[in-house]
Amino acid sequence: MFAYRRAAGTSFAPTISFMKLATRYALVGIGALGVLSLVGLARSAHFRGAEIVNYLIGVLPSVAASVAIPFILFGIWADQRPAASSVTTCRAFVVVLLGTGTGLIAWEFIQLTSRGLVFDPHDLAATVVGLGLAGILFTLITLPGSHPA
């Protein structure tokens, strides 16, 4: 599953040599959508647990959406540009991440104007945490030596 390659002057870095980056990005997005679905299932089952569990069930949708949206969008981008350089790939991910963050934060503030929706400042914080987690996952997935340029 993992191949270890060593370029001259670098340390060993594990790479997933059989899987395209676009596929890796899309799989992370699908995994985050799975988390979103599980949290929705726990909410609909009126799951009751410790206070921290209830809190996490309340904010995890914001974290999961903050990871799922950029990775699904970026998986499409990466599939269309398989020969993009590492610099171009990183810049594009930052643009997607900032766009996702702007949209999700705007959505939270739009909820202030609706009677049917609930604004929660904890969701804002969870969105920021999710965006940070997405950045970390992107860095781990886009390992040195696993990109064409």
Side-chain angles (χ1 to χ4, degrees):
M1 179 171 173
F2 291 97
Y4 290 88
R5 291 184 280 173
R6 185 166 188 259
T10 63
S11 63
F12 284 99
T15 61
I16 305 172
S17 59
F18 65 88
M19 192 180 301
K20 295 186 322 182
L21 279 174
T23 304
R24 288 186 245 172
Y25 299 141
L27 286 174
V28 171
I30 290 167
L33 290 174
V35 170
L36 194 58
S37 295
L38 288 174
V39 172
L41 183 64
R43 282 180 161 184
S44 67
H46 302 291
F47 178 80
R48 297 287 178 231
E51 190 174 328
I52 186 70
V53 173
N54 292 332
Y55 177 78
L56 289 174
I57 287 174
V59 298
L60 267 177
S62 296
V63 174
S66 298
V67 173
I69 294 169
F71 274 101
I72 295 294
L73 293 174
F74 199 69
I76 295 167
W77 181 92
D79 190 53
Q80 294 175 352
R81 293 165 184 82
S85 71
S86 296
V87 172
T88 301
T89 300
C90 289
R91 285 182 183 160
F93 188 77
V94 168
V95 168
V96 169
L97 200 64
L98 291 174
T100 299
T102 301
L104 290 173
I105 290 170
W107 171 247
E108 281 299 321
F109 284 107
I110 288 170
Q111 293 180 34
L112 286 170
T113 64
S114 172
R115 292 183 203 172
L117 300 172
V118 178
F119 172 80
D120 184 359
H122 293 270
D123 284 339
L124 287 174
T127 297
V128 172
V129 167
L131 294 170
L133 178 60
I136 291 168
L137 289 171
F138 173 79
T139 302
L140 292 173
I141 291 167
T142 313
L143 295 169
S146 67
H147 202 269

